[in-house]
Amino acid sequence: DAKTTQPPSMDCAEGRAANLPCNHSTISGNEYVYWYRQIHSQGPQYIIHGLKNNETNEMASLIITEDRKSSTLILPHATLRDTAVYYCIVRVGDDYKLSFGAGTTVTVRA
Amino acid sequence: ETGVTQTPRHLVMGMTNKKSLKCEQHLGHNAMYWYKQSAKKPLELMFVYSLEERVENNSVPSRFSPECPNSSHLFLHLHTLQPEDSALYLCASSLNSGANVLTFGAGSRLTVL
C-alpha cells in the first residue's frame, strides 16, 4: 500500500471548518483514499473514502487532487466532539489489510 | 453503539491467568478482525476471519488464540501473557474480507500484571 504523510497535530476553532491534509505521492491507480477517526479510548470510526472524485457525506467532505497525490478531509463545522486522531489510509479496494499510521491529532477548541 | 460489541471493556489479569475477550456483531458481516493498539503505537492487525476461516495470522505469539465459531462471534483467548501485552484490543467487522469499510467495537482494555 502507498504510504501517507499527515501532520502530527492541528488545532481548530469550534464552529469553523477543519481542513486535514494528507500526502500520498506514491498512490497507485487502483488505491482508494480512506479516512477514519479515533476518539480517545474508543475504536476507530469510518468517515469517508474516495478514488478520484471528490466525495461528501453527512460527516465530511473529501477533496482529492487531480494527480491524486494528496487529499484533504474537510469537517465543515467542527465541534468539540470532533476532537480525535484522524487517520488517512490508502489501500487497494479489495485488500482487507487496513494499515493505520500515527494520524493527525485534531483538537477543537471552544 | 456501533453494532460491534466487545466484552469485557476492561480486564486485569495476572501472567498465569487464562481469560477470553469476546466480540459480537449482528450487522450481517462475514469478516471479523482483531487489532491491537499499544500506548503510543499505531493499530496492529492481528487476525482476520472470513466466513469463519482464518485468512490472516499476522505473526502473533501463540499465547493469543483466536476462535470464530460463527460469522457473528469472535473470541480472543489469552494465556500466559506478558506485561507488554497490555493494550487496547479492538474487534472489527466488514461485509466481507475485501470490503471497503470496517466497523470497530469500542475495544477491551487489557492490563497484564
Side-chain angles (χ1 to χ4, degrees):
Chain A
D1 289 346
K3 292 186 177 179
T4 62
T5 303
Q6 298 178 252
S9 64
M10 61 184 294
D11 287 358
C12 62
E14 187 179 22
R16 304 294 295 268
N19 297 306
L20 283 62
C22 180
N23 286 322
H24 31 78
S25 58
T26 59
I27 192 170
S28 60
N30 61 347
E31 287 183 311
Y32 288 74
V33 180
Y34 292 82
W35 284 85
Y36 282 74
R37 74 179 183 183
Q38 187 174 20
I39 296 170
H40 181 63
S41 293
Q42 296 182 22
Q45 177 190 25
Y46 165 80
I47 301 173
I48 198 167
H49 75 281
L51 182 63
K52 294 181 183 178
N53 300 321
N54 298 337
E55 302 288 344
T56 296
N57 62 21
E58 66 278 4
M59 290 183 68
S61 295
L62 174 61
I63 309 297
I64 302 173
T65 58
E66 193 168 343
D67 63 8
R68 304 208 323 122
K69 292 185 177 182
S70 66
S71 59
T72 301
L73 179 75
I74 301 173
L75 307 177
H77 305 285
T79 71
L80 298 179
R81 287 176 294 181
D82 291 322
T83 292
V85 179
Y86 286 77
Y87 299 99
C88 171
I89 302 163
V90 294
R91 70 161 192 165
V92 176
D94 60 355
D95 183 359
Y96 55 76
K97 293 185 182 181
L98 206 60
S99 297
F100 290 80
T104 297
T105 299
V106 174
T107 303
V108 180
R109 302 193 186 279
Chain B
E1 193 62 48
T2 66
V4 177
T5 303
Q6 291 189 241
T7 54
R9 292 294 311 277
H10 300 272
L11 178 64
V12 179
M13 60 186 289
M15 289 190 288
T16 58
N17 292 156
K18 290 185 180 180
K19 297 286 184 182
S20 296
L21 306 180
K22 179 183 177 182
C23 177
E24 185 173 357
Q25 59 90 8
H26 295 288
L27 300 170
H29 290 174
N30 293 314
M32 297 188 77
Y33 310 74
W34 280 116
Y35 279 83
K36 174 185 177 182
Q37 188 172 34
S38 303
K40 309 291 185 186
K41 289 186 178 180
L43 278 78
E44 303 170 50
L45 179 64
M46 299 176 72
F47 301 104
V48 180
Y49 277 82
S50 177
L51 296 171
E52 300 114 62
E53 296 290 327
R54 192 188 309 177
V55 297
E56 178 77 15
N57 179 349
N58 208 20
S59 302
V60 179
S62 60
R63 57 186 184 270
F64 296 91
S65 175
E67 178 190 4
C68 188
N70 55 60
S71 60
S72 298
H73 294 87
L74 184 66
F75 295 89
L76 188 63
H77 303 299
L78 316 169
H79 62 97
T80 59
L81 295 191
Q82 305 298 311
E84 59 265 28
D85 296 322
S86 298
L88 181 68
Y89 288 85
L90 291 156
C91 174
S93 69
S94 63
L95 188 59
N96 54 59
S97 60
N100 296 326
V101 177
L102 270 63
T103 302
F104 283 84
S108 293
R109 174 73 61 186
L110 173 67
T111 302
V112 181
L113 301 177

